Amino acid sequence: MNTLIGLLLAIEGLQTGTLPRQWRPSGPNCAEVPAWQVHEYNANLYIIRESGCTNYEKPFLFLFFGEKRALLQDTGAGMTDVDRLIPELLAQWAKRANRPVPPLLVVHSHSHSDHTSGDKKLAALHNTTVIPAKPEAIEAAFQMPGWPQKLGEIDLGGRILDAIPIPGHDTADLALYDRLTGLLLTGDTLYPGRLYIRDFPAYVESIDRLVKFTKSWPVAHILGTHIEQSRTPFTDYKIRTVYQPDETVLELTRGDLLELQSELAAMAGKPRRRELSRFTIFPRVSLP
Ligand SMILES: [Zn+2]
Ligand SMILES: [Zn+2]
């Protein structure tokens, strides 16, 4: 992390962490690529990326640790051994923290199969609760009736995550904000790549909701669940690309969120494709 940003976050009272300048590319030889890359943002937050050699979507998963329980956002794409990986990480964390292995709560950025494929396997594990990626189930679990207007929160023990409904890409999109680190997780709604929009009016409202939320809370980074953009501005890797040696970083800023909001407003209710330096607004009717 750049020293100035670190200093500013320290002033805000946020726990700092690090992000890779480059995530491990999936290739060129898949035989040498591990199924998962696990990056410790800090001691109590792991960011996990599935290899493109397993599934071209290469989604990111996030594992938060509180004093009472752990929370996992998303369970990966395709056939994986996520039910081996996550218990290993829980045990490793517990050993280092000198604590019992925490119970696990699993939630989702949204319901698409590249983020939910490990659900069944994880639900079969001991001490694990998987909340289905459906608005009704999320409302009940977070005690936040009134989807998508109402926000919720969940306490992991000394660590509160805010839950912000942001439908539009899907019906069950849910942003998470971690008050300890100031990280805002935005799933497939905002990430460096193609922002596919299924329900445009809902998406516009969701982005407005996120902007409003970030007026009250400091944002260290905005982290979505894919990287499709290259380091060259306005350029992305084609869909189904496995090997992306020149891909950009995962993190976006609140400035990117504000840019997205103003570009959507400029469309005045008429969705159209718009390529920007770090992402593309990509309205479409049906999703893959
Ligand atoms: Zn999606
Ligand atoms: Zn996705």
Side-chain angles (χ1 to χ4, degrees):
M1 174 173 304
N2 144 341
T3 330
L4 180 61
I5 295 175
L7 185 65
L8 291 171
L9 295 180
I11 293 168
E12 300 271 16
L14 298 174
Q15 275 187 10
T16 58
T18 62
L19 288 162
R21 289 195 57 78
Q22 180 166 31
W23 293 85
R24 182 173 181 152
S26 301
N29 177 7
C30 272
E32 293 169 1
V33 179
W36 305 97
Q37 178 177 359
V38 179
H39 173 80
E40 290 189 24
Y41 181 76
N42 63 31
N44 299 313
L45 170 53
Y46 299 171
I47 304 176
I48 303 158
R49 190 184 199 181
E50 185 174 334
S51 161
C53 296
T54 312
N55 187 287
Y56 76 87
E57 292 280 12
K58 306 178 275 300
F60 288 88
L61 290 64
F62 296 85
L63 182 58
F64 295 87
F65 293 93
E67 283 161 21
K68 287 193 220 131
R69 56 184 159 168
L71 178 139
L72 176 70
Q73 181 196 269
D74 288 355
T75 65
M79 293 294 291
T80 68
D81 62 349
V82 68
D83 54 333
R84 174 199 57 81
L85 173 77
I86 299 300
E88 266 179 27
L89 294 177
L90 294 175
Q92 175 192 315
W93 177 87
K95 190 173 173 195
R96 204 168 56 191
N98 201 17
R99 288 169 180 270
V101 174
L104 177 67
L105 183 65
V106 180
V107 301
H108 305 88
S109 61
H110 62 296
S111 72
H112 292 156
S113 63
D114 51 323
H115 305 274
T116 55
S117 284
D119 279 20
K120 272 194 187 150
K121 284 180 167 180
L122 285 173
L125 295 177
H126 175 66
N127 243 352
T128 301
T129 306
V130 178
I131 298 169
K134 294 186 179 139
E136 320 80 76
I138 299 166
E139 278 184 325
F142 285 87
Q143 294 169 330
M144 51 195 279
W147 179 278
Q149 276 82 23
K150 288 278 164 49
L151 277 55
E153 56 184 64
I154 193 143
D155 189 354
L156 306 181
R159 177 170 220 158
I160 291 175
L161 300 184
D162 293 281
I164 310 148
I166 49 168
H169 166 75
D170 177 30
T171 53
D173 306 277
L174 185 72
L176 292 178
Y177 175 77
D178 175 28
R179 295 187 192 178
L180 268 193
T181 58
L183 294 179
L184 178 63
L185 308 189
T186 48
D188 280 9
T189 299
L190 175 55
Y191 66 92
R194 294 174 292 277
L195 310 180
Y196 297 122
I197 303 170
R198 190 190 59 88
D199 180 338
F200 192 78
Y203 186 86
V204 172
E205 277 182 26
S206 292
I207 297 304
D208 289 345
R209 193 172 299 117
L210 275 181
V211 170
K212 188 175 170 207
F213 178 86
T214 60
K215 283 183 179 153
S216 317
W217 294 96
V219 175
H221 300 288
I222 292 178
L223 303 177
T225 35
H226 300 282
I227 302 173
E228 292 158 355
Q229 209 73 8
S230 103
R231 285 182 193 272
T232 308
F234 299 93
T235 310
D236 57 2
Y237 283 97
K238 285 199 175 65
I239 189 165
R240 293 179 217 287
T241 302
V242 170
Y243 182 48
Q244 301 184 165
D246 191 38
E247 73 175 16
T248 186
V249 294
L250 175 63
E251 60 269 34
L252 294 170
T253 66
R254 182 164 188 268
D256 293 309
L257 174 65
L258 296 177
E259 183 184 20
L260 174 59
Q261 183 189 38
S262 70
E263 291 290 340
L264 292 169
M267 291 181 193
K270 294 203 181 81
R272 63 190 167 84
R273 194 176 303 179
R274 175 99 168 100
E275 289 176 14
L276 298 161
S277 85
R278 298 230 41 216
F279 50 83
T280 298
I281 299 171
F282 208 119
R284 59 191 299 175
V285 178
S286 63
L287 288 168

